[in-house]
Amino acid sequence: MAAILVKPALACSFNISFNTSFEPDAVRLPASEVRRLAEWMINDPAAYEKKEEFHIALYEAPAFGVSHVLARKRTAHLKQLLTTFGVPASMISMEIARYNPGKSVAPNFAHINFMPGCPHPCCPGPEPTSQIR
């Protein structure tokens, strides 16, 4: 999963993830996963006063039925869900990685990574913030 998200390495990395999977050939998540995403938004990102970024990452895997077009539709669906839950489009980045059997998670896997803004435990300063605000 680390290969799917290419971000600069920092001494302290703090993010909160939501992992899900699409049904084969599906453009949209099933209702049960949309509900789980809504609960995650309420319980995790909502706990932070400042939000920096939401990063959507998933795979393109033509040999496994996930064409580039299907992968783009899936990222658009996840972005639409996040905006429906109140995330500004400017805070959403998206990545479609090439599926690599044996090194990647399942081809229908999708990942949303939330990075809060400061304050959080890894904020720069003399003492990291240890409490969620």
Side-chain angles (χ1 to χ4, degrees):
M1 178 167 57
I4 198 168
L5 299 176
V6 180
K7 296 278 181 183
L10 302 173
C12 183
S13 178
F14 187 76
N15 56 59
I16 299 164
S17 299
F18 175 82
N19 298 320
T20 189
S21 289
F22 285 86
E23 294 293 325
D25 300 320
V27 172
R28 298 175 178 269
L29 288 176
S32 61
E33 286 300 285
V34 173
R35 179 185 169 117
R36 210 169 61 82
L37 175 59
E39 290 170 352
W40 176 76
M41 290 292 297
I42 292 166
N43 293 325
D44 293 332
Y48 292 88
E49 177 180 331
K50 296 181 182 173
K51 291 146 185 66
E52 188 172 310
E53 181 184 13
F54 287 81
H55 183 74
I56 299 168
L58 50 79
Y59 294 113
E60 168 184 324
F64 296 90
V66 184
S67 68
H68 184 72
V69 171
L70 178 58
R72 285 184 37 212
K73 288 179 180 180
R74 287 175 172 182
T75 57
H77 170 65
L78 292 174
K79 181 178 181 179
Q80 185 269 326
L81 287 172
L82 290 175
T83 58
T84 297
F85 296 142
V87 177
S90 62
M91 291 177 62
I92 302 170
S93 63
M94 296 174 284
E95 175 182 3
I96 299 172
R98 191 75 140 144
Y99 179 71
N100 189 349
K103 294 186 179 181
S104 302
V105 184
N108 290 297
F109 175 80
H111 176 82
I112 298 174
N113 198 29
F114 164 66
M115 283 74 67
C118 290
H120 64 71
C122 294
C123 287
E127 291 185 41
T129 305
S130 61
Q131 292 186 334
I132 297 171
R133 296 182 188 198

